[in-house]
Amino acid sequence: MKLELVIVDDSHLWLSLAEKLAASHPLVGKITTFDDSYDAWVHIQINKPQFVISDIEMPGMNGLSFLEMFSDRLPFISTSTKQEFEVVAKELGGIDFVAKPFSKSDIHNAIDEVYSHMFGEKVSNYK
């Protein structure tokens, strides 16, 4: 089963890198990206993706606001250049936190965590 993902980041560089790395994960199917948090907010409410990767530091609605609104309904992976956001993101219900700059294994491990959280099974059984 392929998972539907939304990625939100105001930086085109980080957005495209996260998309490329997530697309190489065997359990990720459709990916929709947004560089505007308000557009992503509308999309998430209407389309109900299976999980979200969101930058924390964005203008307007930041990633912590996303967590407050959606983490009880959707698994979240938060990203930031500031490691100190990790504790807050997890307290708000985030499944995992990935510090920038991130690697393929960082993103893949976080996606594995989301899968385990969603289905209660380790990913290694499905790769």
Side-chain angles (χ1 to χ4, degrees):
M1 175 173 139
K2 300 273 186 169
L3 303 175
E4 183 180 344
L5 166 64
V6 166
I7 304 174
V8 188
D9 198 315
D10 61 310
S11 164
H12 292 283
L13 172 69
W14 290 114
L15 186 64
S16 65
L17 181 59
E19 180 181 22
K20 179 180 178 182
L21 298 176
S24 69
H25 193 287
L27 294 175
V28 173
K30 180 180 178 186
I31 299 174
T32 307
T33 62
F34 293 92
D35 62 2
D36 181 276
S37 56
Y38 292 108
D39 290 341
W41 179 75
V42 170
H43 176 84
I44 290 167
Q45 290 188 82
I46 294 169
N47 296 288
K48 299 176 180 36
Q50 291 172 295
F51 74 108
V52 175
I53 296 175
S54 176
D55 182 32
I56 289 179
E57 300 168 89
M58 296 184 289
M61 190 182 322
N62 66 34
L64 298 177
S65 298
F66 268 50
L67 280 167
E68 289 178 317
M69 286 186 285
F70 295 115
S71 68
D72 62 333
R73 295 179 275 167
L74 256 202
F76 265 77
I77 298 168
S78 296
T79 66
S80 179
T81 57
K82 296 181 180 168
Q83 187 70 42
E84 61 265 23
F85 282 125
E86 180 176 9
V87 172
V88 177
K90 288 189 175 179
E91 285 175 352
L92 291 173
I95 301 300
D96 207 349
F97 175 88
V98 179
K100 293 176 182 176
F102 46 71
S103 67
K104 179 179 178 179
S105 64
D106 294 332
I107 294 294
H108 280 220
N109 290 339
I111 292 169
D112 292 349
E113 280 298 313
V114 166
Y115 184 89
S116 293
H117 174 80
M118 291 173 69
F119 300 104
E121 299 175 10
K122 295 290 180 192
V123 173
S124 60
N125 297 336
Y126 298 95
K127 285 187 177 178

